[in-house]
Amino acid sequence: MTKNELQFFLDIATLAAQAGGAVLKYYLGNLKDIQEKGRSGDLVTEADKASEAAILAVLERHVPEHGILTEESGELGDINSPYLWAIDPLDGTTNFAHQYPFFSASIGLLINGFPQVGVIYDPFHDELFQAAKGLGATCNNRLISVSKTDSLNKSLLVTGFAYDRRETSDNNYAEFAYLTHLTQGVRRSGAASIDLAHTACGRLDGYWERGLSPWDMAAGIVLVEEAGGKVTAYDTSPFQMSSGRILATNGYLHESLSQALIETPPLSSWKDK
């Protein structure tokens, strides 16, 4: 894949993210239809659907032969294509429904199964994060890079909780408590794409989460890696999109954060560690 080809796809992803973001701006504070998608707390609104339609229109116009995996409509087109777009038309729907300012339109392109292009548009703050393999990462056309924080006790981390957190003991609560104890703080924005974008630009030093889908992660992975960070499984083995688990850091903290996740004690005893 040449740099010119990647730039072409990056330009398309940018158009798509901006189209979706424009829809989100229109609906912010004006929602009339908020529904649950079968899992408690998993919301969908007319903004999700309208943003997806705007994004799909851009992709249909420019790359109609590519496969698409999107949160609302699922698999579209040839999903066995070497080019697969992973789309979240509104990442952070619950935030959006409450007008809490952490949400985005997120567009990632997997080429032969690996994230290669990513654009995350935060319409509330008008921040456009863009990256492609070998082309670097930017926010509003300015180069970004990860932080240089090299110890957990000086770090600010971010995480999230999956929709099944009420039904499973593997719910990230113990990890959240333990890492809060070891660091300067752990935030929870409620939008994986924003967490990854903020890790890429150095506002946060590391991020971990479970229960994610490809559309939550694809764009942000490219951003973090192109900004100089590292993305793996919790145990630092190669990242697997199908696992739904991600560890993304500035690189300096990667081993220590991984070790802390592995050694996290039960929630009932974390204060004694």
Side-chain angles (χ1 to χ4, degrees), residues 127-140:
E127 289 190 323
L128 180 68
F129 296 90
Q130 300 166 281
K133 196 71 172 178
L135 300 183
T138 63
C139 177
N140 290 349

Side-chain angles (χ1 to χ4, degrees), residues 30-272:
N30 296 301
L31 291 176
K32 297 178 181 178
D33 182 24
I34 302 174
Q35 302 174 0
E36 288 193 347
K37 293 192 291 187
R39 295 177 297 183
S40 179
D42 191 3
L43 305 182
V44 62
T45 71
E46 66 265 39
D48 296 76
K49 298 172 183 176
S51 175
E52 181 183 82
I55 291 167
L56 293 178
V58 172
L59 297 183
E60 176 62 27
R61 187 161 64 247
H62 293 282
V63 285
E65 70 280 10
H66 288 189
I68 295 172
L69 181 63
T70 179
E71 181 172 17
E72 303 311 325
S73 295
E75 299 174 352
L76 300 172
D78 180 10
I79 62 163
N80 295 314
S81 164
Y83 302 97
L84 181 65
W85 294 84
I87 298 166
D88 196 337
L90 173 47
D91 185 23
T93 300
T94 300
N95 290 346
F96 187 85
H98 290 270
Q99 299 182 56
Y100 186 67
F102 288 95
F103 53 85
S104 79
S106 180
I107 314 292
L109 173 62
L110 283 70
I111 301 177
N112 295 317
F114 295 95
Q116 300 284 295
V117 174
V119 177
I120 295 169
Y121 181 44
D122 171 357
F124 188 91
H125 299 100
D126 198 25
E127 289 190 323
L128 180 68
F129 296 90
Q130 300 166 281
K133 196 71 172 178
L135 300 183
T138 63
C139 177
N140 290 349
N141 296 315
R142 299 181 65 177
L143 285 173
I144 57 175
S145 62
V146 294
S147 72
K148 291 182 168 44
T149 304
D150 59 4
S151 63
L152 281 178
N153 66 347
K154 295 180 180 178
S155 69
L156 181 64
L157 307 179
V158 67
T159 192
F161 304 95
Y163 290 111
D164 67 353
R165 61 189 179 274
R166 298 175 180 86
E167 289 79 45
T168 177
S169 59
D170 180 20
N171 54 23
N172 200 29
Y173 292 173
E175 292 89 341
F176 176 80
Y178 187 51
L179 267 299
T180 297
H181 188 57
L182 296 180
T183 65
Q184 290 188 348
V186 180
R187 303 293 182 250
R188 191 263 176 120
S189 79
S193 61
I194 296 294
D195 295 339
L196 286 162
H198 288 186
T199 299
C201 69
R203 295 172 188 168
L204 297 163
D205 304 306
Y207 163 65
W208 83 93
E209 193 168 349
R210 59 166 292 278
L212 297 171
S213 298
W215 50 75
D216 297 312
M217 303 179 283
I221 287 169
V222 188
L223 277 162
V224 171
E225 292 183 337
E226 286 300 304
K230 188 172 183 178
V231 177
T232 69
Y234 278 17
D235 63 0
T236 76
S237 62
F239 172 76
Q240 299 292 329
M241 188 74 75
S242 59
S243 73
R245 292 174 182 256
I246 188 170
L247 173 60
T249 74
N250 60 8
Y252 301 99
L253 292 174
H254 210 81
E255 295 291 337
S256 56
L257 181 51
S258 170
Q259 189 59 39
L261 289 171
I262 292 169
E263 67 187 19
T264 298
L267 189 59
S268 59
S269 63
W270 71 267
K271 288 185 179 180
D272 299 326

Side-chain angles (χ1 to χ4, degrees), residues 8-27:
F8 172 72
F9 292 136
L10 181 59
D11 291 343
I12 293 171
T14 300
L15 289 173
Q18 290 174 322
V23 170
L24 300 183
K25 284 183 179 179
Y26 173 81
Y27 278 101

